[in-house]
Amino acid sequence: MQQARVFIQTQDFDVSAELAALRAGDAGVGAACCFVGLVRDRNEGDEVASMELEHYPGMTEKSIEAIIDQAQARFGIHGARVIHRVGLLAPMEQIVLVAVTAAHRGKAFEACEYIMDYLKSLAPFWKKEQTPAGARWVDARVSDEQALERWSLGL
């Protein structure tokens, strides 16, 4: 995997273009799997007007690169790409893309889920929601941490 794999950006992304770039020139790819996360309009029973994401430049990219390396070693994937948006986002906007290519669908699905489980629980992002009651920071959910535990990544 020699092309860029991790992008932290404010601008939106085109899923089709990103998948095409990831698969380009690799005739051994038999499967491409992607996950697109969106900003919800509700969380924990409250209306969400917006979400603001912050990150630590350099540390965030390095952390995500490491999990992609682990996914490549564990699942034998051909390639992976993670795009995570930061800044102020509104409900229904795309927030994250995890795309994976592999020889077969099973490994592509597993690697995509593995990377996403890491992003939800351990990646160094800080999320703040604006609700009618005011701003609040968002922590990882118990269900996200449980999903991560099955990969033995630890918390």
Side-chain angles (χ1 to χ4, degrees):
M1 289 191 278
Q2 296 176 316
Q3 58 182 292
R5 304 183 306 177
V6 178
F7 303 88
I8 309 298
Q9 61 193 44
T10 56
Q11 69 271 23
D12 199 5
F13 50 86
D14 179 329
V15 176
S16 181
E18 296 299 336
L19 277 175
L22 183 59
R23 321 180 353 214
D26 189 346
V29 170
C33 179
C34 76
F35 171 84
V36 177
L38 308 170
V39 178
R40 292 183 303 270
D41 66 348
R42 299 194 72 73
N43 189 24
E44 297 180 7
D46 296 320
E47 186 177 322
V48 174
S50 65
M51 177 179 281
E52 188 169 3
L53 286 97
E54 299 176 9
H55 77 297
Y56 192 100
M59 182 177 85
T60 302
E61 293 87 344
K62 185 176 179 180
S63 171
I64 297 169
E65 285 284 352
I67 202 66
I68 291 172
D69 287 343
Q70 290 175 27
Q72 185 178 21
R74 186 172 188 153
F75 303 104
I77 59 176
H78 287 227
R81 180 170 291 206
V82 173
I83 300 174
H84 207 300
R85 294 182 64 198
V86 293
L88 189 62
L89 299 170
M92 297 175 44
E93 285 192 73
Q94 298 181 130
I95 189 171
V96 63
L97 168 71
V98 175
V100 174
T101 57
H104 303 284
R105 72 179 183 271
K107 295 299 181 186
F109 278 122
E110 285 181 303
C112 191
E113 195 168 15
Y114 178 84
I115 294 168
M116 193 60 225
D117 286 346
Y118 168 81
L119 289 173
K120 287 292 288 182
S121 297
L122 295 178
F125 289 100
W126 296 272
K127 301 175 186 177
K128 183 169 43 173
E129 295 176 333
Q130 289 294 335
T131 72
R136 67 179 178 204
W137 292 99
V138 180
D139 291 323
R141 292 188 221 165
V142 171
S143 60
D144 294 331
E145 292 174 356
Q146 289 170 340
L148 184 65
E149 286 177 8
R150 73 186 165 136
W151 303 110
S152 299
L153 289 176
L155 296 174

